[in-house]
Amino acid sequence: MTNDFMGPPWQMDWVRSARADRDAYPEHVRDLIDAIRAELVTVKDPYFRGIDNLPDLPEGCWVEPGRSTVPDGANVCYFDRGRGWLRYVFVRRSADPQITVEEVFWQ
């Protein structure tokens, strides 16, 4: 067995309420969330550590830790110039690492 960590593309799962919220938004917001999803599942480290690991998020989007004291915890991806956010956690399991979206909000 090697110590190599599985790489992208990552699996993404949604908390049921987050998926329902995403599906209820207007089409242009859903398209923006889908673009963010595409970047999160293909970037080498979904927490974006290091200059070579920055994703090509859509314009008006940025990611930061939910709590600066817990950088491996939940992260928040703000989108639509801060009008909405997507809170996610990256679970580093050796067999099946995945991103779990816990909350989606847009106003």
Side-chain angles (χ1 to χ4, degrees), residues 68-85:
S68 62
T69 57
V70 187
D72 285 342
N75 271 17
V76 180
C77 180
Y78 296 94
F79 61 91
D80 200 11
R81 292 173 175 64
R83 292 184 64 198
W85 68 80

Side-chain angles (χ1 to χ4, degrees), residues 87-99:
R87 187 179 67 199
Y88 68 94
V89 176
F90 180 57
V91 181
R92 293 181 181 272
R93 296 185 293 220
S94 60
D96 185 23
Q98 76 176 25
I99 298 168

Side-chain angles (χ1 to χ4, degrees), residues 2-85:
T2 67
N3 289 333
D4 292 337
F5 185 62
M6 290 180 64
W10 308 112
Q11 298 297 316
M12 181 176 270
D13 195 14
W14 295 72
V15 171
R16 190 173 302 187
S17 60
R19 172 62 81 178
D21 289 343
R22 179 241 176 244
D23 292 345
Y25 293 137
E27 184 176 359
H28 75 280
V29 176
R30 290 192 313 265
D31 291 344
L32 188 53
I33 292 170
D34 290 345
I36 292 166
R37 178 201 176 279
E39 288 302 317
L40 290 177
V41 299
T42 58
V43 72
K44 183 176 179 181
D45 183 347
Y47 288 139
F48 313 133
R49 292 185 194 91
I51 195 161
D52 295 334
N53 196 36
L54 294 175
D56 291 325
L57 290 170
E59 185 176 332
C61 299
W62 69 95
V63 173
E64 57 188 44
R67 292 178 59 188
S68 62
T69 57
V70 187
D72 285 342
N75 271 17
V76 180
C77 180
Y78 296 94
F79 61 91
D80 200 11
R81 292 173 175 64
R83 292 184 64 198
W85 68 80

